[in-house]
Amino acid sequence: MFKWGLVLCIVAAAGIAVWVYLHLNDEIRARVEARLAEHYSQFEVSVRSARLVEGKGYEIRGLSIRDPSQEGDQIELLHLDEVFIECDGNIEELISGKFNIRRIIVRRPTLRATRRGDGQWNVARLLPLPKFGDERPLGPDSPQVRIEDGTIHLADLTRTGANSVELREVNLTLTPRLADLSGAAEPRGTTLAIEGTLSNEHLQRFDLSGWLDPVSKRWSIAGAVKKLRITPELHSALPFDLTGPAEALRWLRGTGQLQFSADFDPARPVAFQYNITARLSDGRYDDPRLPQPLTDISARMRIDNGSLEIEDLEAKCGPAKLTRGHMLRHGHAAGSPMELSARITGFQLDQRWLVLAPEPVRTSWHKLLPAGTFAAELAARFDGQRWNTSL
């Protein structure tokens, strides 16, 4: 009787342990889902499963944040395939609600960022982030967050006919740090230091670093792009407008290398500011207004909020060759002042080029009917009202 009683006790204890384990994981899932639903009350939050990994932490799977105000693919704002929270991972920690979180690993997340018709990005509503552990705000001792193999879909509803951009293989590390932020209302605060890489069909590799302030929603990013494949499809997919002379880049193809910096501060008159420097090689320009395409294009470029500059421009157009090309545009609005200069050799006079010439040139052409091949030095300045040209 003692032996059989011992066996029955062991079986009963094992059954109770399994029952508690299964219900414990259900309780963890429900608690995580309730915590996130309380923080993101404007969204629909669901968690497929969660479990305690004894001595290591908690594993959460199938976390989804949905925006009921959207339709179609945009309804799911964020999906996290797996989240692992590294901590002590024991029952005492779970009962007390105080977690000594060391690191959070997010695997295979998908973020759908959309700029709505009012110009605001939907992902801005995900900030500030939920508080960690014992409800302390983000601080230097907060856990590091690592994102592995993520996907970001960018869409801009303010642009007619714009395509979406998909960024793949997103790997980011977010490390809380105490930093001195110039221009802030409070000069010192905790930010998330950002280091990462990503890629997509238009670029080989995208390296970036910077910081994010989840409270003020300010951020600053800098980095470099290796082997950017420039195509009209890339232009149409960009999540912001290129206007003025930059709009003409839609006809450009080639390979580029670039460095960039960008920052956002909602308290500034111009919240988003950027600066991009790039080098183009093996370029081709197929503007339908040109009688012949431009080939073998190379140049250095710089663009920011207030100007566009192209230096050391070289190109071929049939037998003609353009060298020492330079353009500086002050502003991106129609009619912005600009300066042009270039040297041209081997250019054959052809009436088809008249479509690009100002009215005085067209009038003189029909009077003189010139023919031949020439070389020229060109300098032109537009003050916003009229051109002043030297040839």
Side-chain angles (χ1 to χ4, degrees):
M1 289 181 63
F2 174 78
K3 291 180 179 179
W4 279 106
L6 182 60
V7 170
L8 292 175
C9 288
I10 293 174
V11 171
I16 293 174
V18 170
W19 184 88
V20 171
Y21 178 78
L22 293 177
H23 283 264
L24 175 63
N25 289 338
D26 286 340
E27 177 63 24
I28 294 173
R29 186 205 64 79
R31 185 176 297 189
V32 171
E33 186 175 272
R35 177 71 62 87
L36 291 173
E38 180 182 2
H39 183 80
Y40 293 122
S41 57
Q42 72 273 38
F43 298 128
E44 297 176 353
V45 179
S46 62
V47 177
R48 186 176 69 247
S49 66
R51 70 186 183 98
L52 169 66
V53 181
E54 187 68 31
K56 295 182 178 180
Y58 301 89
E59 181 186 83
I60 302 168
R61 290 185 175 272
L63 193 160
S64 176
I65 299 179
R66 299 161 59 90
D67 187 351
S69 66
Q70 299 298 313
E71 298 179 353
D73 294 339
Q74 300 301 325
I75 191 171
E76 187 173 49
L77 181 61
L78 178 65
H79 179 86
L80 308 181
D81 187 44
E82 179 184 337
V83 180
F84 192 82
I85 302 174
E86 289 187 4
C87 56
D88 295 338
N90 52 52
I91 300 297
E92 293 80 3
E93 185 180 61
L94 186 63
I95 294 174
S96 66
K98 296 181 179 181
F99 303 92
N100 181 27
I101 301 175
R102 296 181 290 272
R103 183 168 59 168
I104 300 175
I105 302 174
V106 182
R107 297 186 174 98
R108 297 173 296 281
T110 299
L111 176 69
R112 290 180 170 84
T114 303
R115 184 160 71 169
R116 303 187 300 262
D118 59 3
Q120 300 296 317
W121 287 89
N122 61 346
V123 292
R125 299 165 65 192
L126 292 176
L127 299 176
L129 299 174
K131 296 178 180 179
F132 300 106
D134 57 358
E135 300 298 325
R136 292 175 300 170
L138 180 69
D141 56 345
S142 297
Q144 181 189 77
V145 178
R146 193 172 75 195
I147 299 173
E148 300 177 351
D149 195 19
T151 302
I152 301 176
H153 298 273
L154 297 174
D156 189 352
L157 300 183
T158 65
R159 298 187 61 197
T160 303
N163 298 320
S164 61
V165 178
E166 182 179 279
L167 304 177
R168 301 186 298 269
E169 299 177 6
V170 178
N171 296 284
L172 292 175
T173 301
L174 309 177
T175 306
R177 70 179 185 185
L178 193 62
D180 186 2
L181 304 178
S182 59
E186 297 180 5
R188 298 191 63 83
T190 300
T191 64
L192 289 174
I194 302 171
E195 297 285 341
T197 62
L198 56 86
S199 65
N200 84 336
E201 59 181 314
H202 301 290
L203 55 91
Q204 184 181 74
R205 183 180 173 92
F206 184 5
D207 298 299
L208 60 90
S209 62
W211 57 265
L212 165 69
D213 184 350
V215 177
S216 67
K217 300 181 182 180
R218 293 176 302 145
W219 54 263
S220 177
I221 291 291
V225 175
K226 297 181 180 179
K227 200 173 183 180
L228 175 66
R229 192 167 61 88
I230 303 170
T231 64
E233 292 75 19
L234 172 62
H235 176 276
S236 63
L238 290 174
F240 55 85
D241 288 318
L242 295 177
T243 58
E247 173 66 19
L249 296 176
R250 64 183 300 182
W251 308 111
L252 180 65
R253 296 179 181 271
T255 302
Q257 309 283 338
L258 66 87
Q259 291 77 43
F260 68 93
S261 63
D263 57 82
F264 178 82
D265 186 345
R268 290 189 311 222
V270 180
F272 177 65
Q273 296 184 4
Y274 63 95
N275 188 295
I276 302 172
T277 59
R279 182 178 294 275
L280 173 69
S281 60
D282 302 323
R284 181 183 175 92
Y285 190 73
D286 291 291
D287 191 325
R289 297 172 298 176
L290 296 178
Q292 294 176 288
L294 300 178
T295 61
D296 298 334
I297 303 173
S298 62
R300 293 187 296 115
M301 290 172 283
R302 179 186 61 81
I303 183 172
D304 56 28
N305 292 71
S307 65
L308 168 66
E309 184 174 20
I310 300 176
E311 299 178 288
D312 300 329
L313 173 62
E314 295 187 0
K316 292 180 180 179
C317 185
K321 185 175 182 179
L322 183 147
T323 58
R324 294 187 295 189
H326 179 263
M327 185 195 77
L328 176 59
R329 176 79 175 238
H330 304 281
H332 301 305
S336 296
M338 65 183 303
E339 304 166 10
L340 295 171
S341 64
R343 184 174 187 271
I344 301 172
T345 58
F347 187 84
Q348 295 182 349
L349 295 176
D350 191 319
Q351 187 172 335
R352 294 176 299 172
W353 290 96
L354 286 180
V355 67
L356 301 178
E359 180 59 33
V361 174
R362 292 198 295 267
T363 302
S364 300
W365 182 284
H366 292 299
K367 289 181 179 179
L368 303 175
L369 298 178
T373 302
F374 74 90
E377 297 278 353
L378 170 67
R381 182 187 297 270
F382 180 67
D383 61 8
Q385 300 292 331
R386 50 198 290 275
W387 284 94
N388 184 1
T389 305
S390 172
L391 181 63

